[in-house]
Amino acid sequence: MKPAVSILIPCFNAEHCVGDSIESALAQTWSDSEIIVFDDGSVDSSPEIIRSFGDRIRFESSLNQGAAMARNRLLELARGEWLQYLDADDKLAPDKLRSNLEVVQSEPNVDVLVGPVEVEHLRRGAVRTREIMPAHRFQGSVDSWRMLALWELPQTGGPLWRRSALLDVGGWRKDQPCCQEHELYLRLLMAGKKFTFTNFVGAVYRRFETGTLSTQDMPLVRRERLKIAARLEAHLEATGGLTPERQWAINQARFELARSAWPADRAEARSIAATIRGGGNAFRPDGPAAPPTYQFFYRTFGFEVAERAAWMKRSFMSIDPR
């Protein structure tokens, strides 16, 4: 019989954590599942660690071809109706599958079940801080488009994915350099796939001090996020779904990206800010990136003056009074 769920673990040079990842998959209280590990050409001891689990898992390896290829190969190997992706440096809570499957079995038309993840920030192997992302609870009707624009949909391990839905949209995009799950979210939404939400925190996303592509090459991440925002906006506009609330979310995302670019590249920041529809007269930024004083300068004088005022404030506050 086919298992209900396939737990899919792509691995590349993860000898320090792949064993923990597999152990968390084996510890699931939902037993009707299979675990498939794909090693994408590791040159460390990852393959030996994976093989040590014997026939409790399925294992395949190849020469290194990248994360998207590895995830697509796992998609091909999977037999379950539902897919739980789990990066080799992350973990699952023991009841993750059980809790998620109880939800999707009660809502048969769901294609993607989205849940928050616990983010562990590690330094020298020890957890320094933890946070839940997104921090707010899902209540009532949740707008998946708005959440995607605001980058509130979780990383790969958070959702439970219906296998047929991923196949319908062609799986993971092979040439997507980063933000791979968010680009996939976009195509699923554009294809009309149904998202639903749970507040059960079932995945642990571990962030090491060595960083990831999303922290090592921020200009690339900003470019890819902007591309996704532009595609999202164009699709909603063409289909009559670009509500004021969704337009605000897209603008807020562009605003936050512009702010993140300002310290390193002011030309990039200005270019991003120029894509905000309506500019300072119509758009009202919000959230931690726009405290009240900043909002005043932004609304009155625009992005660049607000940034310069914020920089002057930070410089003044950093002066040693002695």
Side-chain angles (χ1 to χ4, degrees), residues 215-259:
T215 56
Q216 294 171 350
D217 192 345
M218 286 305 301
L220 173 64
V221 173
R222 286 192 288 267
R223 289 195 298 273
E224 294 304 318
R225 283 193 60 177
L226 289 168
K227 290 178 185 178
I228 290 172
R231 289 169 59 194
L232 187 157
E233 184 178 55
H235 175 83
L236 289 175
E237 195 163 35
T239 57
L242 189 59
T243 64
E245 294 77 13
R246 289 170 175 174
Q247 183 65 72
W248 178 88
I250 296 167
N251 282 340
Q252 176 74 11
R254 289 167 173 158
F255 163 74
E256 292 174 2
L257 290 171
R259 287 221 69 188

Side-chain angles (χ1 to χ4, degrees), residues 162-183:
R162 190 184 293 274
R163 181 174 180 269
S164 60
L166 267 61
L167 291 173
D168 285 347
V169 299
W172 300 81
R173 182 174 170 179
K174 295 178 182 178
D175 60 350
Q176 184 69 28
C178 63
C179 311
Q180 292 177 350
E181 58 269 78
H182 295 86
E183 194 279 334

Side-chain angles (χ1 to χ4, degrees), residues 112 161 165-166 169 184-193 195:
V112 184
W161 316 75
L166 267 61
V169 299
L184 177 57
Y185 284 136
L186 176 61
R187 284 186 286 119
L188 287 163
L189 286 171
M190 291 171 65
K193 302 304 180 183
F195 284 52

Side-chain angles (χ1 to χ4, degrees), residues 87 90 117 153-159 161 181-182 185 203-205:
D87 289 347
D90 298 334
V117 300
L153 293 178
Q155 61 85 231
T156 318
W161 316 75
E181 58 269 78
H182 295 86
Y185 284 136
V204 179
Y205 175 36

